[in-house]
Amino acid sequence: MLAGSPAERVLDRTLRDHRHLSREQRQALKEAVYNVGLWRRRLGFLLGRDDATPPFLLYALLHGLAGVPAPEAAALAGLGEGGGPALNPAPAPTLALRASLPDWLADHFAREFGPEAEDFCAHLNVPGPITLRATPLRTTRDALAERLRSEGVQTRPGPWSPLALHVEGPRPNLYGLDSLREGLFEVQDEGSQLLGLVLDAQPGETVLDLCAGAGGKTLLLGAQMKDSGRLLAYDPDPERLDRLLQRSARAGLSRVQVLRTPPTPGLGADRVLVDAPCSELGSLRRGPDLRFRIEPDVLTHFPPLQADILQHAADLVRPGGRLVYATCTVNRAENQDLVTAFLAARPDFSPVRPGQGWLPEACVHEGFLLVAPHRHGTDAFFAAVMERSAG
Ligand SMILES: C[S@@+](CC[C@H](N)C(=O)[O-])C[C@H]1O[C@@H](n2cnc3c(N)ncnc32)[C@H](O)[C@@H]1O
């Protein structure tokens, strides 16, 4: 059922092929595909084999993990007269089996988190909240919450980002809301909001978003700058930059300038954000099968590229300016170690506390911004804030 293809695509195809299904049936199908995809390793352990077919996996999910009585689970899974097999009654002996992760990835998280690894991995199996970011150019967080309430969407403020609102209750159709069309908010994980906020972009400055992608952070920087000054966005992927331009026009930002070639040293930017390409292990809860589609070499693939990008970025910052290096991963080689090596090679840069004056201490670890699902309810993110000496 899920062999090699992303769960979302399998699901879309299946739903298209079964248009007669009721809303409840479609929802049940979605949950079955999502959970079989996510829990496949744990289900293999329960069944005592790694090559079980979808009906058996579904049976193991319903009976072994959801507690549905065996005959009912077998009937729901379409196993017919014979019923389902006996499931392994022993507790899963390893973190990888308990959390349904590949062995190498569970071992990696054990090294990264030590005694917290079990908690972290358990949180990778719970879908994240839907989080909105108020657009400061157009509204305040409180006014947005009020407006959403009038549109039937209940929210609560996020504890970390001053712009975050978490949606409460059933998933609303956000794309049908006038408040979205009016550009009052963007959908953005609370941790991701923090990465943009710690750059502390100010009106009138020259600010560079060096790995801008489709502009998730650029929009926030533009709003912080009150659509003044120069906001430059570079990414080697031209299609992402096209999307960035469309999004910034919709967000009412007139000062975004897209760079189609890499900026050259001597730019003298007041602030540079490096939202680096990375192994993306911090957002594994966003898809049930992401974890099974990556290979162990993802852990060593990025640091050389990240070090190059960071070096390049450093030469674009004016003396006295600010540089933020950020990732959405949990890997010291891409985060703490990379920044420590950079700081050793560049004595003209020194670390400063992220979010001085507003970011709670709970989000700061060893001087870096560090958030994770089990501690903060966000995806996992890392950021180092550095300043270049004035002289
Ligand atoms: C984590 S994503 C950025 C996401 C974006 N900042 C956002 O908030 O939506 C990393 C980006 O780095 C870009 N990238 C890859 N190599 C790069 C390079 N050498 N210099 C700058 N950006 C690069 C990728 O194309 C990708 O869009």
Side-chain angles (χ1 to χ4, degrees):
M1 166 154 71
L2 290 167
S5 44
E8 290 81 4
R9 246 185 290 145
V10 175
L11 192 56
D12 283 348
R13 205 172 48 233
T14 313
L15 289 173
R16 263 202 312 278
D17 292 348
H18 296 82
R19 289 183 192 276
H20 60 281
L21 295 178
S22 69
R23 220 172 132 206
E24 287 74 23
Q25 285 171 321
R26 294 170 83 82
Q27 187 56 31
L29 183 64
K30 269 189 206 167
E31 285 186 21
V33 171
Y34 182 94
N35 283 302
V36 165
L38 174 69
W39 288 106
R40 71 180 81 158
R41 256 222 99 187
R42 177 84 177 265
L43 302 177
F45 168 76
L46 286 171
L47 290 161
R49 53 194 299 175
D50 287 331
D51 59 350
T53 56
F56 285 93
L57 291 169
L58 184 57
Y59 164 78
L61 176 77
L62 293 170
H63 180 43
L65 295 188
V68 176
E72 213 179 306
L76 284 168
L79 287 183
E81 296 292 291
L87 298 180
N88 186 347
T94 64
L95 175 60
L97 290 172
R98 282 190 294 280
S100 195
L101 290 165
D103 287 335
W104 68 268
L105 194 52
D107 291 346
H108 172 71
F109 288 138
R111 284 192 300 274
E112 290 284 329
F113 283 109
E116 282 181 46
E118 193 85 39
D119 199 13
F120 170 78
C121 293
H123 280 77
L124 293 182
N125 295 342
V126 183
I130 301 171
T131 308
L132 314 180
R133 173 181 61 68
T135 303
L137 262 184
R138 299 208 156 134
T139 187
T140 61
R141 172 163 76 173
D142 289 348
L144 175 63
E146 201 45 55
R147 172 67 187 276
L148 287 165
R149 197 169 305 128
S150 77
E151 294 177 314
V153 178
Q154 302 300 324
T155 59
R156 69 187 152 82
W160 318 114
S161 161
L163 301 175
L165 288 174
H166 296 297
V167 173
E168 295 200 300
R171 190 185 184 92
N173 175 15
L174 294 175
Y175 296 96
L177 299 179
D178 284 341
S179 51
L180 181 68
R181 278 193 284 275
E182 290 166 28
L184 302 188
F185 68 87
E186 294 277 331
V187 178
Q188 188 176 33
D189 184 90
E190 190 172 8
S192 172
Q193 299 181 24
L194 297 178
L195 300 193
L197 288 170
V198 295
L199 192 65
D200 199 21
Q202 299 293 321
E205 289 185 330
T206 295
V207 174
L208 170 65
D209 190 355
L210 183 59
C211 306
K217 317 273 178 326
T218 321
L219 301 186
L220 173 53
L221 303 179
Q224 281 189 299
M225 294 164 70
K226 304 205 184 330
D227 197 30
S228 66
R230 285 173 84 197
L231 177 51
L232 308 172
Y234 170 72
D235 197 283
D237 183 333
E239 283 168 22
R240 289 185 194 185
L241 288 180
D242 291 343
R243 283 214 302 283
L244 183 153
L245 277 176
Q246 288 165 3
R247 287 174 81 187
S248 36
R250 225 180 20 243
L253 296 176
S254 61
R255 313 300 289 246
V256 179
Q257 193 183 329
V258 152
L259 306 178
R260 301 280 175 180
T261 53
T264 46
L267 174 73
D270 296 294
R271 296 167 200 264
V272 175
L273 173 63
V274 177
D275 185 15
C278 70
S279 54
E280 299 182 9
L281 303 181
S283 37
L284 289 180
R285 65 180 181 163
R286 298 280 161 197
D289 54 355
L290 293 174
R291 61 191 66 186
F292 299 112
R293 289 192 278 127
I294 48 177
E295 301 286 339
D297 65 4
V298 78
L299 298 177
T300 49
H301 176 77
F302 288 96
L305 172 64
Q306 292 160 336
D308 274 0
I309 296 177
L310 185 52
Q311 276 296 345
H312 177 216
D315 293 329
L316 301 167
V317 181
R318 70 161 167 81
R322 174 173 283 209
L323 174 60
V324 169
Y325 171 84
T327 74
C328 60
T329 201
V330 175
N331 184 10
R332 287 189 155 265
E334 296 178 65
N335 294 341
Q336 296 91 331
D337 296 353
L338 192 114
V339 170
T340 303
F342 168 78
L343 288 170
R346 290 296 298 251
D348 52 334
F349 280 87
S350 35
V352 297
R353 185 202 187 274
Q356 188 66 48
W358 62 270
L359 184 68
E361 204 53 41
C363 299
V364 182
H365 188 68
E366 298 169 1
F368 301 119
L369 183 155
L370 210 64
V371 290
H374 66 303
R375 291 194 209 138
H376 305 91
T378 61
D379 288 351
F381 290 96
F382 168 88
V385 181
M386 297 164 278
E387 278 176 5
R388 189 170 191 177
S389 55

